[in-house]
């Protein structure tokens, strides 16, 4: 079956994208690496000696950035529903974060260590039904926030991908109840036409 005009346009945009080209040239797993690089350059989230948890890690762009910036001093634990080829300095395991057994496995890997940074670039498989897709996106964000409440150090941070739409304002409210500082980030590597935003929470409230 021939490609549709829409898929051809996306493929052309993707191949010609400056961040896709730069990712290949610089050895990054995906263009998403530049999103985290820009945010971390601004907010100094990845600190040597800390534990970083990367939820929705595949294909590994964010885990790569975290591992390189920890410089061998710290731990990166990465999780995704999809397979991900190994990355030096990253402890990856495959599973669905929505499953209680997978959450227990993640907690076992922490072995009681508190987390300095939780990254969540999780996104569900999109159905094309906006209301349903938005609900699933926000559900994943809420699961990431719940994990952060339970496992972050008091001075830790949570960076999560969300999409503006139904449930967004309520989730921002939950973030503000949880963190001393809450900010939005829209890195240059995030496509202009994309509705995605990143919410950053820093410093747990007592």
């Amino acid at each position: 079956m021939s490609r549709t005009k829409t898929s051809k346009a996306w493929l052309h945009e993707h191949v010609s994208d400056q961040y896709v080209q730069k990712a290949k040239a610089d050895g990054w797993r995906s263009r998403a690496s530049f999103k985290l690089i820009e945010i971390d350059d601004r907010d100094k989230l990845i600190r040597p000696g800390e534990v970083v948890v990367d939820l929705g890690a595949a294909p590994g762009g964010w885990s790569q950035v975290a591992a390189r910036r920890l410089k061998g001093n710290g731990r990166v634990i990465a999780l995704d529903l999809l397979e991900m080829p190994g990355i030096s300095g990253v402890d990856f395991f495959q599973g669905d974060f929505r499953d209680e057994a997978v959450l227990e496995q993640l907690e076992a890997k922490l072995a009681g260590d508190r987390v300095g940074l939780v990254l969540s670039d999780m996104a569900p498989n999109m159905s094309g039904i906006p209301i349903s897709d938005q609900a699933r996106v926000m559900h994943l964000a809420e699961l990431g926030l719940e994990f952060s409440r339970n496992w972050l150090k008091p001075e830790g941070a949570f960076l999560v991908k969300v999409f503006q739409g139904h449930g967004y304002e309520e989730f921002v409210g939950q973030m503000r109840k949880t963190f001393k500082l809450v900010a939005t980030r829209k890195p240059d590597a995030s496509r202009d036409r994309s509705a995605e935003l990143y919410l950053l929470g820093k410093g747990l409230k007592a």
Side-chain angles (χ1 to χ4, degrees), residues 21-66:
Q21 294 175 343
K22 187 168 173 54
K24 289 180 179 179
D26 294 351
W28 296 109
R29 288 276 178 92
S30 73
R31 70 189 306 283
S33 297
F34 297 106
K35 300 175 186 180
L36 181 57
I37 288 169
E38 182 180 334
I39 295 171
D40 188 52
D41 284 347
R42 175 175 181 173
D43 295 292
K44 305 296 187 288
L45 303 176
I46 303 168
R47 301 186 299 270
E50 299 282 17
V51 176
V52 177
V53 172
D54 186 6
L55 303 173
W62 280 22
S63 289
Q64 263 189 311
V65 174

Side-chain angles (χ1 to χ4, degrees), residues 101-113:
V102 173
L103 174 60
E104 291 174 359
Q105 188 178 351
L106 173 57
E107 292 175 336
K109 283 181 174 291
L110 289 171
D113 289 343

